[in-house]
Amino acid sequence: MLRSLFAGVTGLQSHQVAMDVESNNIANVNTIGYKYSRANFSDLLAQTNQIATAPQGQIGGKNAVQIGLGTTVSSITRIHSQGSIQNTDKNTDVAIQGDGFFIVSSDGGNTYKYSRSGDFKFDAAGNFVDNNGFIVQGWVRDETTGLVDSTAPIANIQIPPGLTTPAQATSEVVIKANLSSGDTVTQFKPIYTLDTNALTKNGVDGVANTSDDDRPEFFNVLFDASGSALNLQDGQGMWTSYKPATISKTIAAPVAGAVSFTLNGVAMSMTFTGTETAAQATSAIAAKINAQTATTGVSAAPDPTNPAILILTNDNTRGTTAASKNIALTVTSASGTGLTGGTDITAFQYTFISAGAVPIGETTATASQRQFTTTEDLRAQMQHDARLIGDDHGVNNAILDSAITVEINSKGQFEIKNPGSAGADEYDLRISVTGLTSAGVTENTRFTQNFQTLSGTLTTGSSISRLSQAFNAATHSASIDVYDSLGTKHTLRLDFRKTALSASGGTEWIYEISVPSPGDIGGTINKNELTNLDAGRISFTNTGALALATIPSLTYTANNGSAPNQTIDLNFGTINAFDGMTSFDNPSGTSGISQDGFPGGDLVGIRIDQSGTLVGSFSNGRSFGLAQIGMAKFSNNEGLVTDGGNVYLQSANSGDPIIGTAATAGRGFMQSSALEASNVDLSKSLTQLIIIQRGYQANGKTITTSDTLLETLLGIKR
């Protein structure tokens, strides 16, 4: 028989196999995740009629003479190229972009199958399955830790129908905000009220206080009614007079000679001939004093009822220095007039001092110089001085028998009252407030102007009061809803208030934390010891970075049946960093505030992200991972064997599966609401059909031609 006859047969057989392969490719042109196959031809053994010989001497070598014996399909290669991604409207459809396979199991994970078809759905039991009913393998959320651990062994992915999430009590509040360090603020509140029951110097409420807001504040961080900083510096302050200073002197007829005296530091003298009357001497001395009134602030005049009595008066409305306040008269030569020295202090110099930033209280000295640091220092000292002026000087000198009060009201105003009900030391107030200057220290006009509205008359027994302008403290507030173990929402409020400047130049603030009653956070910041309030302190460096924050956590009990003693950490940021609370010269504002608690909720939807995580959305607005789809990667994808139903099985030549998460270690990422189409190129497959057909026809022709040759051979015998 002719060898060509058998070669043609092998050609027909091989092209038939190739036809079967290509037909299968075309049949699966719309199969999700299908990878097309290619038939690989190779020749069969050849018959060697003459072996190859090597060159010998002058004779060259000869090649072997071989006749091929046909072809065969040596292998069928599956091409795992990427199929195109088709978007769908189904959120549980998943496509793999890149290398890797989904893992499914039909027996609870005892054996695995692998697929590129991501047409998944949930069955009645909540199993995440493919179209074969095989359960997708991966990792599910640990209810204890609340995390999906992708390092654990894979298992069936099951999301129970009607899944609910229990409430999570808040354990941390994170706040990022700026507390303005600037000279102009838009958020401010009146300074704390202060009544006549003086505070102890450390700012703790006294037993008799009538207001829960009685707390002193440092003057150098306060603002006026428009939100402009007072910027009170050491040595600045004001003069306050509670009534005009006055003294009277009885003048006798002078003898010949000079009268010399010093009034408020100004030396004055005159010469008498000895012929003047007492009235003339009185008028002459008054004229001399009045010539210097612009400097001393003191005017003089004879008593209208007795011209021999000289009355000196200083209404304390002139000048800003001690030289023009009160009356200080020293006589060096009287020349028989009987003129003597005298002093009357009714105006007091209130000077701010910041050294140590510690409240200094009041002084009982009778000199005019006073110092203050806090609002209570100044309030108490002004009240003391107003009462001191009316003291009867001897009868009850140890007791300032007056009902005059200086308080700070709820609007942040200094308020002076003169009810006139205490006793003999009562008098009509004629208040005058002027600026204060001294060597090297200029007047703080904002501070003075805020107090000048106190100026005026306040008669004893009056039902009205004199008020300053409002003093304010820079503030900022933020609030957030926190949750208890039952998922009940409670509002946690933080009120920040600027209180001081640090030694380094940064700002210091206090903050109050409050929760609605009957909630309890263990606070005791006022005299009633309300347990739903607490307070802390926060300070910043001179660069605006967080320097210190007290009360980093609080213990909250809602008193509504939820778990008590709930610890809530307050995260204000990193010390010496700018990732949380800051204090820049920018308006105060909260740029972010969050907490980690939430109420209970029902599952309302599931989406799948690029890592293959099934993210559940709940009716409480929370979203978190419920499970994560596992992916397998093989050393040799072509070594996998098909098992029908768009799944593959591991083989001896595929290698073991390397299981992990999407988008890691060379595995592709997952795209939800999408499917990977078949990678069959229909135009290429149809072209291949033509090639196979022509190959088949040609091999058939070799058979018929060989048959003709045999027929000719048989004809020779005939």
Side-chain angles (χ1 to χ4, degrees):
M1 299 294 289
L2 295 176
R3 287 171 296 205
S4 59
L5 187 64
F6 292 102
V9 172
T10 62
L12 290 177
Q13 291 174 332
S14 297
H15 280 80
Q16 182 60 59
V17 173
M19 186 66 180
D20 294 339
V21 171
E22 204 59 53
S23 297
N24 184 61
N25 288 338
I26 295 174
N28 286 282
V29 70
N30 289 316
T31 300
I32 298 301
Y34 176 79
K35 302 301 179 184
Y36 79 89
S37 298
R38 180 185 67 207
N40 299 312
F41 288 62
S42 65
D43 61 345
L44 290 176
L45 294 175
Q47 180 177 338
T48 302
N49 292 337
Q50 181 177 316
I51 63 172
T53 60
Q56 295 180 358
Q58 300 300 316
I59 300 175
K62 293 183 179 181
N63 295 326
V65 177
Q66 291 182 304
I67 301 173
L69 299 180
T71 186
T72 186
V73 175
S74 60
S75 66
I76 298 176
T77 302
R78 189 172 299 277
I79 308 301
H80 286 268
S81 62
Q82 178 70 46
S84 61
I85 302 299
Q86 299 176 348
N87 292 323
T88 69
D89 295 326
K90 182 181 170 189
N91 62 354
T92 56
D93 285 345
V94 187
I96 297 176
Q97 181 72 44
D99 193 13
F101 297 85
F102 300 114
I103 310 169
V104 295
S105 178
S106 60
D107 54 9
N110 289 326
T111 58
Y112 297 137
K113 302 176 187 292
Y114 308 94
S115 174
R116 294 279 295 193
S117 175
D119 184 6
F120 300 137
K121 59 187 69 64
F122 288 98
D123 65 13
N127 294 307
F128 196 47
V129 299
D130 66 4
N131 287 324
N132 300 309
F134 301 156
I135 301 176
V136 180
Q137 302 295 293
W139 303 273
V140 294
R141 181 173 183 262
D142 188 321
E143 294 299 329
T144 303
T145 64
L147 301 175
V148 177
D149 183 8
S150 60
T151 64
I154 57 175
N156 289 350
I157 293 180
Q158 182 187 32
I159 309 297
L163 178 67
T164 61
T165 178
Q168 176 175 301
T170 299
S171 62
E172 183 182 42
V173 172
V174 179
I175 180 169
K176 181 175 177 59
N178 183 66
L179 302 179
S180 178
S181 61
D183 289 341
T184 302
V185 294
T186 57
Q187 299 180 48
F188 50 85
K189 290 182 179 179
I191 58 176
Y192 290 123
T193 61
L194 294 171
D195 55 34
T196 58
N197 298 292
L199 305 178
T200 57
K201 292 182 180 180
N202 62 5
V204 179
D205 285 345
V207 175
N209 278 359
T210 59
S211 170
D212 290 337
D213 287 331
D214 280 356
R215 276 174 281 176
E217 297 181 79
F218 294 106
F219 251 107
N220 59 341
V221 293
L222 298 186
F223 295 78
D224 64 15
S226 65
S228 296
L230 298 179
N231 285 330
L232 202 58
Q233 305 297 311
D234 283 358
Q236 293 182 329
M238 66 178 177
W239 281 95
T240 303
S241 172
Y242 300 96
K243 72 173 185 178
T246 180
I247 59 176
S248 61
K249 299 295 179 179
T250 301
I251 304 301
V255 297
V259 173
S260 301
F261 57 89
T262 300
L263 180 61
N264 286 3
V266 178
M268 305 179 195
S269 66
M270 66 198 70
T271 302
F272 291 104
T273 63
T275 61
E276 296 88 355
T277 64
Q280 289 174 328
T282 300
S283 295
I285 296 172
K288 179 62 70 172
I289 291 173
N290 290 336
Q292 298 293 330
T293 298
T295 302
T296 65
V298 179
S299 61
D303 188 331
T305 63
N306 185 350
I309 297 177
L310 179 66
I311 299 177
L312 282 69
T313 303
N314 190 344
D315 62 8
N316 295 310
T317 61
R318 300 177 182 87
T320 59
T321 64
S324 61
K325 304 298 180 184
N326 299 312
I327 299 175
L329 176 63
T330 303
V331 178
T332 55
S333 175
S335 294
T337 59
L339 182 64
T340 59
T343 301
D344 191 24
I345 297 176
T346 61
F348 296 89
Q349 172 184 304
Y350 298 106
T351 304
F352 175 73
I353 179 172
S354 63
V358 176
I360 61 176
E362 65 183 74
T363 178
T364 58
T366 57
S368 63
Q369 292 81 15
R370 274 83 167 96
Q371 292 181 327
F372 67 93
T373 298
T374 69
T375 53
E376 172 57 20
D377 294 339
L378 184 56
R379 184 214 66 81
Q381 191 63 63
M382 290 176 67
Q383 177 175 278
H384 172 273
D385 295 338
R387 292 177 176 180
L388 177 67
I389 291 172
D391 186 29
D392 50 17
H393 298 288
V395 178
N396 288 314
N397 196 40
I399 300 174
L400 303 181
D401 190 12
S402 173
I404 295 173
T405 60
V406 179
E407 300 178 351
I408 298 177
N409 63 24
S410 60
K411 296 180 180 179
Q413 300 166 305
F414 278 70
E415 183 174 8
I416 301 180
K417 299 177 182 179
N418 192 9
S421 59
D425 291 346
E426 306 298 350
Y427 67 100
D428 292 342
L429 286 165
R430 287 178 56 188
I431 305 168
S432 174
V433 176
T434 54
L436 170 64
T437 59
S438 59
V441 179
T442 59
E443 179 184 356
N444 188 310
T445 55
R446 282 188 186 143
F447 180 78
T448 303
Q449 290 169 359
N450 247 34
F451 275 105
Q452 281 179 335
T453 54
L454 288 172
S455 299
T457 301
L458 196 58
T459 59
T460 184
S462 175
S463 61
I464 63 173
S465 58
R466 304 296 305 180
L467 298 170
S468 73
Q469 296 293 319
F471 290 89
N472 297 286
T475 60
H476 177 65
S477 297
S479 62
I480 189 171
D481 291 331
V482 296
Y483 295 88
D484 59 28
S485 62
L486 297 177
T488 305
K489 182 169 60 178
H490 309 275
T491 299
L492 178 72
R493 181 179 177 87
L494 294 98
D495 293 298
F496 297 90
R497 190 180 190 95
K498 189 176 181 179
T499 57
L501 298 177
S502 65
S504 64
T507 61
E508 294 186 2
W509 299 63
I510 62 168
Y511 63 94
E512 292 184 359
I513 313 167
S514 61
V515 292
S517 296
D520 181 357
I521 55 177
T524 55
I525 67 169
N526 55 30
K527 74 180 185 64
N528 291 326
E529 297 187 352
L530 299 177
T531 58
N532 66 326
L533 296 172
D534 207 348
R537 184 166 60 91
I538 186 169
S539 62
F540 302 90
T541 68
N542 54 19
T543 63
L546 181 66
L548 171 70
T550 61
I551 314 184
S553 65
L554 55 93
T555 302
Y556 176 52
T557 300
N559 290 318
N560 64 345
S562 62
N565 300 322
Q566 173 183 341
T567 299
I568 301 178
D569 294 327
L570 302 177
N571 186 344
F572 292 116
T574 307
I575 300 298
N576 294 321
F578 304 95
D579 57 356
M581 299 291 293
T582 57
S583 184
F584 301 131
D585 187 3
N586 292 325
S588 294
T590 302
S591 57
I593 184 168
S594 62
Q595 55 85 40
D596 58 355
F598 50 83
D602 299 319
L603 182 64
V604 295
I606 292 178
R607 62 179 176 84
I608 303 174
D609 65 16
Q610 288 191 345
S611 68
T613 300
L614 281 69
V615 180
S617 299
F618 292 82
S619 58
N620 57 6
R622 306 295 295 185
S623 296
F624 49 81
L626 302 176
Q628 187 171 11
I629 301 172
M631 280 186 66
K633 178 183 176 183
F634 292 89
S635 301
N636 177 22
N637 291 342
E638 296 175 9
L640 296 172
V641 295
T642 61
D643 194 39
N646 274 3
V647 296
Y648 301 95
L649 297 177
Q650 176 185 351
S651 75
N653 195 40
S654 65
D656 292 328
I658 305 171
I659 298 174
T661 59
T664 62
R667 285 175 285 269
F669 66 86
M670 298 187 186
Q671 183 174 340
S672 64
S673 298
L675 292 172
E676 182 187 7
S678 168
N679 67 349
V680 173
D681 185 340
L682 189 57
S683 61
K684 182 178 179 180
S685 294
L686 292 175
T687 301
Q688 193 67 22
L689 282 182
I690 296 174
I691 295 172
I692 294 172
Q693 179 185 5
R694 291 306 183 189
Y696 192 90
Q697 289 175 340
N699 278 276
K701 183 60 80 172
T702 62
I703 293 175
T704 57
T705 302
S706 297
D707 180 59
T708 301
L709 292 175
L710 287 174
E711 186 176 348
T712 301
L713 180 63
L714 293 174
I716 295 174
K717 184 178 183 300
R718 295 192 193 102

